[in-house]
Amino acid sequence: MNEVTRILSAIEQGDPHAAEQLLPLMYEELRKLAALRLADEKPGQTLQATALVHEAYLRLVDVDKAQHWNSRGHFFGAAAEAMRRILVENARHKKAAKRGGQYRRVDIETAALAARQRDDKLLALDEALAKLEKHDPLKARLVNLRWFAGLSIKEAAAILGVSTATADRYWVYARAWLQREMAAHDSASP
């Protein structure tokens, strides 16, 4: 991982060739992360893990914007956030009025209903997570690291600089808070 740290530092300093060196080193881990996120999506998802990795990677190593990576964990936290934003944008795009908006094709199979519910749940989670970020940014960051980056409590605690026990308490609180917000969203939806 010393090589990764060196490359992240070179990207931060504006080396245009450093980004090319990073993808091969991080590709498998990013692809696993993307596959985890897409596993929660509907069957037949048009966005594939490879495309998600590449889109997130392009956002992360944009040479026109200075990036500051403190560590490998910081990079993966940012990757998780980028993947979250891409998935939310994709879900919103599907619901856009020019794509039929509220109108849905009705299939006999229950998969169609489940697919719609997954998109709605992702959007509800994003809204709830945005509220949690305003209410308690540290707990929201923990959710991003756990849910979107797939890190363990111990790994996330190390990145956040808190004890594992504290991270456990934060995780229980954040999950309950998000569930309450999402339930309120569900009850307010038609």
Side-chain angles (χ1 to χ4, degrees):
M1 282 301 142
N2 291 336
E3 183 69 8
V4 171
T5 304
R6 184 193 63 73
I7 293 171
L8 290 172
S9 177
I11 290 171
E12 182 179 326
Q13 294 171 5
D15 180 350
H17 302 291
E20 297 168 8
Q21 299 168 4
L22 183 62
L23 185 58
L25 291 174
M26 305 301 284
Y27 186 80
E28 272 312 306
E29 288 186 68
L30 288 171
R31 193 160 187 333
K32 287 177 188 173
L33 177 59
L36 282 172
R37 291 308 104 221
L38 289 172
D40 295 328
E41 295 296 308
K42 68 181 177 180
Q45 169 65 260
T46 57
L47 186 63
Q48 299 298 318
T50 302
L52 182 57
V53 167
H54 289 201
E55 178 66 27
Y57 184 79
L58 288 174
R59 290 182 185 196
L60 290 170
V61 296
D62 184 353
V63 292
D64 295 334
K65 298 176 186 171
Q67 302 290 328
H68 301 287
W69 310 113
N70 299 333
S71 65
R72 177 181 172 273
H74 184 216
F75 177 80
F76 274 99
E81 180 66 22
M83 287 182 195
R84 170 185 159 214
R85 292 183 190 280
I86 292 164
L87 290 170
V88 168
E89 288 168 10
N90 194 36
R92 284 188 179 134
H93 182 72
K94 288 178 186 176
K95 291 185 78 155
K98 68 180 182 180
R99 302 263 187 249
Q102 72 278 13
Y103 301 107
R104 300 265 184 240
R105 184 178 75 216
V106 178
D107 291 339
I108 293 178
E109 296 180 30
T110 58
L113 178 60
R116 180 172 169 235
Q117 290 173 340
R118 285 188 187 113
D119 282 346
D120 291 344
K121 286 198 180 292
L122 180 62
L123 293 174
L125 174 61
D126 184 60
E127 287 178 26
L129 195 51
K131 287 181 184 177
L132 182 60
E133 284 173 330
K134 290 177 183 172
H135 173 72
D136 196 325
L138 187 63
K139 290 180 180 83
R141 189 161 176 228
L142 175 65
V143 171
N144 274 326
L145 291 170
R146 295 272 295 138
W147 181 254
F148 292 98
L151 299 181
S152 69
I153 284 285
K154 186 176 180 179
E155 292 167 327
I159 290 171
L160 295 175
V162 298
S163 70
T164 303
T166 298
D168 272 329
R169 285 191 306 275
Y170 286 0
W171 179 242
V172 169
Y173 174 87
R175 282 188 4 223
W177 197 93
L178 290 170
Q179 287 173 348
R180 187 190 74 222
E181 286 296 315
M182 290 173 69
H185 177 270
D186 286 346
S187 65
S189 297

Coordinates of all heavy atoms in Angstrom, one line a residue, residues 5-61:
T5 N -0.2 5.0 -1.6 CA 0.0 6.3 -0.8 C 0.9 7.3 -1.7 O 0.6 8.4 -1.8 CB 0.6 6.1 0.5 OG1 -0.2 5.1 1.3 CG2 0.7 7.3 1.3
R6 N 1.9 6.7 -2.3 CA 2.8 7.6 -3.1 C 2.1 8.1 -4.3 O 2.2 9.3 -4.6 CB 4.0 6.8 -3.6 CG 5.0 7.6 -4.4 CD 6.1 6.7 -5.1 NE 5.5 5.9 -6.1 CZ 5.0 6.3 -7.3 NH1 5.1 7.6 -7.6 NH2 4.6 5.5 -8.2
I7 N 1.3 7.3 -4.9 CA 0.5 7.7 -6.1 C -0.6 8.8 -5.7 O -0.8 9.7 -6.4 CB -0.1 6.5 -6.8 CG1 1.0 5.7 -7.4 CG2 -1.1 7.0 -7.9 CD1 0.5 4.3 -8.0
L8 N -1.3 8.5 -4.6 CA -2.3 9.5 -4.1 C -1.6 10.8 -3.9 O -2.2 11.9 -4.2 CB -3.0 8.9 -2.9 CG -3.9 7.8 -3.1 CD1 -4.4 7.2 -1.8 CD2 -5.1 8.1 -4.0
S9 N -0.4 10.8 -3.3 CA 0.3 12.1 -3.0 C 0.7 12.8 -4.3 O 0.6 14.0 -4.5 CB 1.5 11.8 -2.2 OG 2.3 12.9 -2.0
A10 N 1.1 12.0 -5.3 CA 1.5 12.5 -6.6 C 0.2 13.1 -7.3 O 0.3 14.2 -8.0 CB 2.1 11.5 -7.5
I11 N -0.9 12.5 -7.2 CA -2.2 13.0 -7.8 C -2.5 14.4 -7.1 O -2.8 15.4 -7.8 CB -3.3 12.1 -7.6 CG1 -3.2 10.8 -8.5 CG2 -4.7 12.8 -7.9 CD1 -4.2 9.7 -8.3
E12 N -2.3 14.4 -5.8 CA -2.6 15.7 -5.0 C -1.7 16.8 -5.5 O -2.1 17.9 -5.6 CB -2.4 15.4 -3.5 CG -2.7 16.6 -2.7 CD -2.5 16.2 -1.2 OE1 -2.8 15.1 -0.8 OE2 -2.0 17.1 -0.5
Q13 N -0.4 16.4 -5.9 CA 0.5 17.5 -6.3 C 0.4 17.8 -7.8 O 1.1 18.6 -8.3 CB 1.9 17.0 -6.0 CG 2.2 16.9 -4.5 CD 3.5 16.2 -4.2 OE1 4.3 15.9 -5.1 NE2 3.8 16.0 -2.9
G14 N -0.6 17.2 -8.4 CA -0.9 17.6 -9.8 C -0.2 16.8 -10.9 O -0.2 17.2 -12.0
D15 N 0.5 15.7 -10.5 CA 1.2 14.8 -11.5 C 0.1 14.2 -12.4 O -0.7 13.4 -12.0 CB 2.0 13.7 -10.8 CG 2.7 12.8 -11.8 OD1 2.5 12.9 -13.0 OD2 3.5 12.0 -11.3
P16 N 0.1 14.6 -13.7 CA -0.9 14.1 -14.7 C -0.8 12.6 -15.0 O -1.8 12.0 -15.4 CB -0.7 14.9 -15.9 CG 0.7 15.4 -15.9 CD 1.1 15.5 -14.4
H17 N 0.3 12.0 -14.7 CA 0.5 10.6 -15.0 C 0.2 9.7 -13.8 O 0.1 8.5 -14.0 CB 2.0 10.3 -15.5 CG 2.3 11.1 -16.7 ND1 1.7 10.9 -18.0 CD2 3.1 12.2 -16.9 CE1 2.2 11.7 -18.8 NE2 3.0 12.6 -18.2
A18 N 0.1 10.3 -12.7 CA -0.1 9.5 -11.4 C -1.5 8.8 -11.5 O -1.6 7.6 -11.0 CB 0.0 10.3 -10.2
A19 N -2.5 9.4 -12.0 CA -3.8 8.8 -12.0 C -3.8 7.6 -12.9 O -4.5 6.6 -12.5 CB -4.8 9.8 -12.6
E20 N -3.1 7.5 -13.9 CA -3.0 6.3 -14.8 C -2.4 5.1 -14.0 O -2.7 4.0 -14.3 CB -2.1 6.6 -16.0 CG -2.6 7.7 -16.9 CD -1.6 8.1 -17.9 OE1 -0.5 7.5 -18.0 OE2 -1.9 9.1 -18.6
Q21 N -1.5 5.4 -13.0 CA -0.9 4.4 -12.3 C -1.8 3.8 -11.2 O -1.6 2.7 -10.7 CB 0.4 4.9 -11.6 CG 1.4 5.4 -12.6 CD 2.6 6.1 -12.0 OE1 2.6 6.2 -10.7 NE2 3.5 6.6 -12.8
L22 N -2.7 4.7 -10.7 CA -3.6 4.3 -9.6 C -4.6 3.3 -9.9 O -4.8 2.3 -9.2 CB -4.2 5.5 -9.0 CG -5.1 5.3 -7.7 CD1 -4.2 4.8 -6.6 CD2 -5.8 6.6 -7.3
L23 N -5.3 3.4 -11.1 CA -6.4 2.5 -11.4 C -6.0 1.0 -11.4 O -6.7 0.2 -10.8 CB -7.0 2.9 -12.7 CG -8.3 2.1 -13.1 CD1 -9.3 2.2 -12.0 CD2 -8.8 2.5 -14.4
P24 N -4.9 0.7 -12.0 CA -4.5 -0.8 -12.0 C -4.3 -1.3 -10.6 O -4.6 -2.5 -10.3 CB -3.2 -0.8 -12.8 CG -3.2 0.4 -13.7 CD -4.0 1.4 -12.9
L25 N -3.8 -0.5 -9.7 CA -3.5 -0.9 -8.3 C -4.8 -1.1 -7.5 O -4.9 -2.0 -6.7 CB -2.6 0.0 -7.6 CG -1.1 0.1 -8.1 CD1 -0.4 1.2 -7.4 CD2 -0.5 -1.3 -7.9
M26 N -5.8 -0.2 -7.8 CA -7.0 -0.2 -7.0 C -8.2 -0.8 -7.6 O -9.3 -0.9 -7.0 CB -7.3 1.3 -6.6 CG -6.2 2.0 -6.0 SD -5.7 1.3 -4.4 CE -7.0 1.8 -3.4
Y27 N -8.1 -1.2 -8.9 CA -9.2 -1.6 -9.7 C -10.0 -2.8 -9.1 O -11.2 -2.7 -9.0 CB -8.8 -2.0 -11.1 CG -9.9 -2.3 -12.0 CD1 -10.6 -1.3 -12.6 CD2 -10.3 -3.6 -12.2 CE1 -11.7 -1.6 -13.4 CE2 -11.4 -3.9 -13.0 CZ -12.1 -2.9 -13.6 OH -13.2 -3.1 -14.4
E28 N -9.4 -3.8 -8.6 CA -10.1 -5.0 -8.1 C -10.9 -4.6 -6.8 O -12.0 -5.0 -6.7 CB -9.2 -6.1 -7.8 CG -9.0 -7.1 -9.0 CD -10.3 -7.5 -9.6 OE1 -11.2 -8.0 -9.0 OE2 -10.4 -7.3 -10.9
E29 N -10.3 -3.8 -6.0 CA -11.0 -3.4 -4.7 C -12.2 -2.5 -5.1 O -13.2 -2.6 -4.5 CB -10.0 -2.7 -3.8 CG -9.0 -3.6 -3.1 CD -8.2 -2.9 -2.1 OE1 -8.8 -2.5 -1.0 OE2 -7.0 -2.8 -2.3
L30 N -12.0 -1.6 -6.0 CA -13.1 -0.7 -6.4 C -14.2 -1.5 -7.1 O -15.3 -1.2 -6.9 CB -12.5 0.4 -7.4 CG -11.7 1.5 -6.7 CD1 -11.1 2.4 -7.8 CD2 -12.5 2.3 -5.7
R31 N -13.8 -2.5 -7.9 CA -14.8 -3.3 -8.6 C -15.6 -4.1 -7.6 O -16.8 -4.2 -7.7 CB -14.1 -4.2 -9.6 CG -15.1 -4.9 -10.5 CD -14.5 -5.4 -11.8 NE -15.3 -5.8 -12.8 CZ -16.5 -6.3 -12.8 NH1 -17.2 -6.4 -11.6 NH2 -17.2 -6.8 -13.8
K32 N -15.0 -4.7 -6.5 CA -15.7 -5.4 -5.5 C -16.7 -4.4 -4.8 O -17.8 -4.8 -4.5 CB -14.7 -6.0 -4.5 CG -14.0 -7.2 -5.0 CD -13.0 -7.7 -4.0 CE -12.1 -8.7 -4.5 NZ -11.0 -9.1 -3.6
L33 N -16.2 -3.2 -4.5 CA -17.1 -2.2 -3.9 C -18.3 -1.9 -4.7 O -19.4 -1.9 -4.3 CB -16.2 -1.0 -3.6 CG -16.9 0.2 -3.0 CD1 -17.5 -0.1 -1.6 CD2 -15.9 1.4 -2.8
A34 N -18.0 -1.7 -6.0 CA -19.1 -1.4 -7.0 C -20.1 -2.6 -7.1 O -21.3 -2.4 -7.1 CB -18.5 -1.1 -8.4
A35 N -19.6 -3.8 -7.1 CA -20.4 -5.0 -7.2 C -21.3 -5.1 -5.9 O -22.5 -5.4 -6.0 CB -19.6 -6.3 -7.3
L36 N -20.8 -4.8 -4.8 CA -21.6 -4.8 -3.5 C -22.7 -3.8 -3.7 O -23.9 -4.1 -3.3 CB -20.7 -4.4 -2.3 CG -19.8 -5.5 -1.8 CD1 -18.9 -4.9 -0.7 CD2 -20.7 -6.6 -1.2
R37 N -22.4 -2.6 -4.2 CA -23.5 -1.5 -4.3 C -24.5 -2.0 -5.3 O -25.7 -1.8 -5.1 CB -22.9 -0.2 -4.7 CG -22.0 0.5 -3.7 CD -22.7 0.6 -2.3 NE -22.2 -0.4 -1.4 CZ -22.9 -1.1 -0.5 NH1 -24.1 -1.0 -0.4 NH2 -22.3 -2.0 0.2
L38 N -24.1 -2.5 -6.4 CA -25.0 -2.9 -7.5 C -25.9 -4.1 -7.1 O -26.9 -4.3 -7.6 CB -24.3 -3.1 -8.8 CG -23.8 -1.8 -9.4 CD1 -22.9 -2.1 -10.6 CD2 -24.9 -0.9 -9.8
A39 N -25.4 -4.9 -6.2 CA -26.1 -6.1 -5.7 C -27.5 -5.7 -5.1 O -28.4 -6.4 -5.1 CB -25.3 -6.9 -4.7
D40 N -27.5 -4.5 -4.6 CA -28.7 -4.0 -4.0 C -29.7 -3.4 -5.0 O -30.8 -3.0 -4.7 CB -28.4 -2.9 -2.9 CG -27.7 -3.5 -1.7 OD1 -27.9 -4.6 -1.4 OD2 -26.8 -2.7 -1.2
E41 N -29.2 -3.3 -6.2 CA -30.1 -2.7 -7.3 C -30.9 -3.7 -7.9 O -30.7 -4.9 -7.7 CB -29.2 -2.0 -8.3 CG -28.4 -0.8 -7.8 CD -29.3 0.3 -7.4 OE1 -30.1 0.8 -8.1 OE2 -29.1 0.8 -6.2
K42 N -31.9 -3.3 -8.7 CA -32.8 -4.2 -9.4 C -32.1 -5.1 -10.4 O -31.1 -4.7 -11.0 CB -33.9 -3.4 -10.0 CG -33.5 -2.6 -11.2 CD -34.7 -1.9 -11.8 CE -34.1 -1.0 -13.0 NZ -35.2 -0.3 -13.6
P43 N -32.7 -6.3 -10.6 CA -32.2 -7.2 -11.6 C -32.3 -6.5 -13.0 O -33.2 -5.7 -13.3 CB -33.1 -8.4 -11.6 CG -33.7 -8.3 -10.2 CD -33.8 -6.9 -9.9
G44 N -31.3 -6.7 -13.9 CA -31.3 -6.1 -15.2 C -30.8 -4.6 -15.2 O -31.1 -3.9 -16.1
Q45 N -30.2 -4.3 -14.1 CA -29.7 -2.9 -13.9 C -28.8 -2.6 -15.2 O -27.9 -3.4 -15.5 CB -28.8 -2.8 -12.7 CG -28.0 -1.6 -12.5 CD -28.8 -0.3 -12.3 OE1 -28.9 0.4 -13.3 NE2 -29.4 -0.1 -11.2
T46 N -29.0 -1.4 -15.8 CA -28.2 -1.0 -16.9 C -26.8 -0.6 -16.6 O -25.9 -0.7 -17.4 CB -28.9 0.1 -17.7 OG1 -29.2 1.2 -16.9 CG2 -30.3 -0.4 -18.3
L47 N -26.6 -0.1 -15.3 CA -25.3 0.3 -14.9 C -24.6 -0.9 -14.4 O -25.0 -1.6 -13.4 CB -25.5 1.4 -13.8 CG -24.2 2.0 -13.3 CD1 -23.5 2.8 -14.4 CD2 -24.6 3.0 -12.2
Q48 N -23.5 -1.2 -15.0 CA -22.7 -2.4 -14.6 C -21.5 -2.0 -13.6 O -21.2 -0.8 -13.6 CB -22.1 -3.1 -15.8 CG -23.2 -3.6 -16.7 CD -24.0 -4.7 -16.1 OE1 -23.6 -5.5 -15.4 NE2 -25.3 -4.6 -16.3
A49 N -21.0 -2.9 -12.9 CA -19.9 -2.6 -11.9 C -18.7 -1.9 -12.6 O -18.2 -1.0 -12.0 CB -19.5 -3.9 -11.2
T50 N -18.3 -2.4 -13.8 CA -17.2 -1.8 -14.5 C -17.5 -0.3 -14.8 O -16.6 0.5 -14.6 CB -16.9 -2.6 -15.8 OG1 -16.6 -3.9 -15.4 CG2 -15.7 -2.0 -16.5
A51 N -18.7 0.0 -15.3 CA -19.0 1.3 -15.6 C -19.1 2.2 -14.3 O -18.6 3.4 -14.3 CB -20.4 1.4 -16.3
L52 N -19.6 1.6 -13.3 CA -19.7 2.4 -12.0 C -18.2 2.7 -11.5 O -18.0 3.8 -11.0 CB -20.4 1.6 -10.9 CG -20.6 2.2 -9.6 CD1 -21.3 3.6 -9.7 CD2 -21.5 1.3 -8.7
V53 N -17.3 1.7 -11.6 CA -16.0 1.9 -11.1 C -15.3 3.0 -12.0 O -14.7 4.0 -11.4 CB -15.1 0.6 -11.2 CG1 -13.6 0.9 -11.1 CG2 -15.5 -0.3 -10.2
H54 N -15.5 3.0 -13.3 CA -14.8 3.9 -14.2 C -15.4 5.3 -13.9 O -14.6 6.3 -13.9 CB -15.0 3.5 -15.6 CG -14.1 2.3 -15.9 ND1 -13.8 2.0 -17.2 CD2 -13.6 1.4 -15.2 CE1 -13.0 0.9 -17.2 NE2 -12.9 0.5 -16.0
E55 N -16.7 5.4 -13.8 CA -17.3 6.8 -13.6 C -16.8 7.3 -12.2 O -16.5 8.5 -12.1 CB -18.8 6.7 -13.6 CG -19.6 8.0 -13.3 CD -19.4 9.0 -14.4 OE1 -19.1 8.7 -15.6 OE2 -19.4 10.2 -14.1
A56 N -16.8 6.5 -11.2 CA -16.4 7.0 -9.9 C -14.9 7.4 -9.9 O -14.5 8.4 -9.4 CB -16.6 5.9 -8.8
Y57 N -14.1 6.6 -10.6 CA -12.7 6.8 -10.7 C -12.4 8.2 -11.4 O -11.6 9.0 -11.0 CB -12.0 5.7 -11.5 CG -10.5 5.8 -11.5 CD1 -9.7 5.5 -10.4 CD2 -9.9 6.3 -12.7 CE1 -8.3 5.7 -10.5 CE2 -8.5 6.5 -12.7 CZ -7.7 6.2 -11.6 OH -6.4 6.3 -11.7
L58 N -13.2 8.4 -12.5 CA -13.0 9.7 -13.2 C -13.3 10.9 -12.3 O -12.7 11.9 -12.4 CB -13.9 9.7 -14.5 CG -13.4 8.8 -15.6 CD1 -14.4 8.7 -16.7 CD2 -12.0 9.2 -16.1
R59 N -14.3 10.7 -11.5 CA -14.7 11.8 -10.6 C -13.6 12.0 -9.5 O -13.4 13.1 -9.1 CB -16.0 11.5 -9.9 CG -17.2 11.6 -10.9 CD -18.5 11.4 -10.2 NE -19.6 11.4 -11.2 CZ -20.9 11.5 -10.9 NH1 -21.2 11.7 -9.6 NH2 -21.8 11.5 -11.8
L60 N -13.0 10.9 -9.1 CA -12.1 11.0 -8.0 C -10.7 11.6 -8.4 O -10.0 12.2 -7.6 CB -11.8 9.6 -7.4 CG -13.0 9.0 -6.6 CD1 -12.7 7.5 -6.3 CD2 -13.2 9.8 -5.4
V61 N -10.3 11.3 -9.6 CA -9.0 11.7 -10.1 C -9.0 12.8 -11.1 O -8.1 12.9 -11.9 CB -8.1 10.5 -10.6 CG1 -7.8 9.5 -9.4 CG2 -8.7 9.8 -11.7

